Amino acid sequence: MSLDELIKKCINQDAEAQSQLYKQYASKLFSLCLKYSKNYAEAEDNLHDAFITVFSKIKQYNNKGSFEGWLKRIAINTSLQRYREDVGVYDIINEGNIEDVSVAINDDDVSLDFLLKIIQELPDRYRLVFNLYVLDGYSHVEISELINISTGTSKSNLARARMILKDKIECYNATLNSHSI
């Protein structure tokens, strides 16, 4: 069945089509939800809520842009909405300008699993800003609107996230080097 046919059947609330759509995109969207969630269980909840939104708003998809991109946006927004609800009131203070820290990573330095693990360990807001900016290509202006912080705070959170990651990678490499001597 083509994607267009699948979408049309989902619009008509065909349970089999909805199941097929879920099976086709759940793993990709779960990975995305996991990036923006505190833990595995919260990512599962966010995925569930995202699909509820997808099925209730699928009529609004108008074939402009990719369908997968539309799904990803819903998954990200669902995860960010949970974050906003959990955090409640935001402290909208500019955390000061921090020099931009870049983290150069050589493929031989750290494994992808380790990198994903340390990104997941970042404090919530740092992790969200890092993922939105570095992994998903959002601008600081877009991030500030999505999670209700100032642009300066977004930049500061990104710099702090990068510093934390850089320190963890250096510590990891130092530990590896001391064991290999």
Side-chain angles (χ1 to χ4, degrees), residues 16-35:
E16 190 175 313
Q18 289 174 333
S19 176
Q20 187 176 343
L21 186 79
Y22 178 86
K23 288 175 186 171
Q24 189 170 339
Y25 290 101
S27 64
K28 287 180 184 178
L29 296 182
F30 180 74
S31 297
L32 194 60
C33 289
L34 194 56
K35 284 191 331 193

Side-chain angles (χ1 to χ4, degrees), residues 95-168:
E95 295 183 16
N97 292 329
I98 293 181
E99 226 177 278
D100 192 29
V101 176
S102 63
V103 181
I105 299 172
N106 181 341
D107 288 345
D108 298 332
D109 288 347
V110 294
S111 70
L112 179 59
D113 288 339
F114 175 74
L115 189 57
L116 293 174
K117 177 184 176 291
I118 63 175
I119 290 170
Q120 195 67 27
E121 291 172 352
L122 288 169
D124 289 344
R125 195 182 300 168
Y126 294 175
R127 186 184 75 252
L128 292 175
V129 171
F130 181 85
N131 285 336
L132 287 166
Y133 187 85
V134 175
L135 302 179
D136 293 319
Y138 284 82
S139 72
H140 286 294
V141 171
E142 291 169 318
I143 294 168
S144 69
E145 292 169 1
L146 282 170
I147 61 174
N148 198 24
I149 59 174
S150 71
T151 303
T153 299
S154 177
K155 291 176 183 178
S156 170
N157 287 343
L158 176 63
R160 289 175 193 255
R162 285 179 168 163
M163 281 194 303
I164 291 169
L165 294 173
K166 181 177 184 256
D167 290 346
K168 286 186 177 198

Side-chain angles (χ1 to χ4, degrees), residues 6-17:
L6 193 59
I7 291 170
K8 285 176 187 171
K9 287 186 176 192
C10 286
I11 288 171
N12 293 325
Q13 299 179 359
D14 179 305
E16 190 175 313

